[in-house]
Amino acid sequence: MTKIKLCGLKRPQDIQAANELLPAYIGFVFAPKSRRYVHPDRAEELRRMLNPGIIPVGVFVNETPETVAALLDRGIIDIAQLHGKEDAAYIRRLRQLTPKPLIQAFRVDTPADVAAAQASTADYVLLDSGAGGTGTCFDWSLLQDIQRPYFLAGGLTPENVGGAVATLHPYAVDVSSGIETDGAKDKEKMTRFVRAVRGVPGKDEEP
């Protein structure tokens, strides 16, 4: 079954909702320019509230490898997601500092972008429509030839994620803006998103 990552969690109620829904992953955004930014000390508090069966991921944009490794080694996160211009040399340096898994994000506009993701030395790749949290989809037909498991992101919502999973069978789906209302995580949307991925009917749906 396709795994789920609920990204951009900032508040205790976001963690509580995740604990009830049990996605495989949640994401803390450590990019200071993001409106979803969370300070590492705050993320550490939220991590302590998190169900131990859920893997916390830290999202970084052009951060120093030393800073990323430090947050991994502190146990605030278990995986680092690289969402900037990090290259193979950056990943090599980070691997010298920490053995923890890495996700490298790619903006997909052309077949060449998919080929670059295919060649990534990161443990996982994430395919997105932009810098993250844009709320727009890219052309999913570009993924027809990809040969490695990937996180699918970009414009996913409770309404379209079921079709994306049925068509593409990604390793995981990653959502942020698609489960928000007025810039904050919305438990009802989070619930509908998770149900759509898992194929569980809602209360008013026929089984």
Side-chain angles (χ1 to χ4, degrees):
M1 178 180 288
T2 294
K3 298 181 183 297
I4 298 167
K5 176 167 169 274
L6 304 178
C7 199
L9 306 192
K10 295 174 56 178
R11 307 171 301 168
Q13 55 263 48
D14 301 339
I15 299 297
Q16 182 179 359
N19 287 343
E20 294 176 17
L21 296 169
L22 294 176
Y25 308 92
I26 62 95
F28 296 130
V29 177
F30 295 120
K33 293 183 180 180
S34 171
R35 62 182 175 85
R36 301 180 182 92
Y37 171 76
V38 60
H39 189 276
D41 292 342
R42 178 61 165 166
E44 191 168 29
E45 295 173 6
L46 296 173
R47 166 68 192 260
R48 287 196 289 265
M49 303 175 192
L50 186 67
N51 183 302
I54 301 173
I55 298 171
V57 178
V59 180
F60 301 90
V61 178
N62 303 322
E63 186 55 83
T64 65
E66 290 76 14
T67 298
V68 175
L71 292 180
L72 287 163
D73 292 342
R74 278 175 63 182
I76 297 175
I77 52 173
D78 292 341
I79 300 177
Q81 179 175 316
L82 310 176
H83 235 291
K85 299 183 183 300
E86 301 89 354
D87 57 12
Y90 180 102
I91 291 175
R92 284 195 299 272
R93 173 57 181 157
L94 192 50
R95 291 202 187 281
Q96 292 173 348
L97 300 171
T98 177
K100 298 293 182 68
L102 308 176
I103 303 169
Q104 186 174 16
F106 291 85
R107 174 174 176 167
V108 177
D109 291 316
T110 69
D113 300 322
V114 178
Q118 182 75 38
S120 171
T121 57
D123 300 276
Y124 305 96
V125 295
L126 181 145
L127 308 178
D128 202 349
S129 56
T134 61
T136 58
C137 298
F138 62 91
D139 182 0
W140 292 340
S141 69
L142 292 168
L143 304 183
Q144 60 186 353
D145 295 325
I146 192 165
Q147 299 296 314
R148 67 182 292 177
Y150 60 90
F151 285 71
L152 178 68
L156 296 177
T157 67
E159 290 71 36
N160 68 11
V161 71
V165 169
T167 301
L168 299 172
H169 308 290
Y171 166 77
V173 288
D174 186 323
V175 64
S176 189
S177 60
I179 51 170
E180 292 179 347
T181 299
D182 297 328
K185 291 297 180 282
D186 182 322
K187 183 179 178 182
E188 188 268 338
K189 288 182 179 179
M190 295 168 76
T191 301
R192 288 197 291 115
F193 186 92
V194 169
R195 281 179 173 158
V197 176
R198 294 176 177 162
V200 179
K203 291 182 179 179
D204 300 324
E205 301 173 33
E206 293 295 329

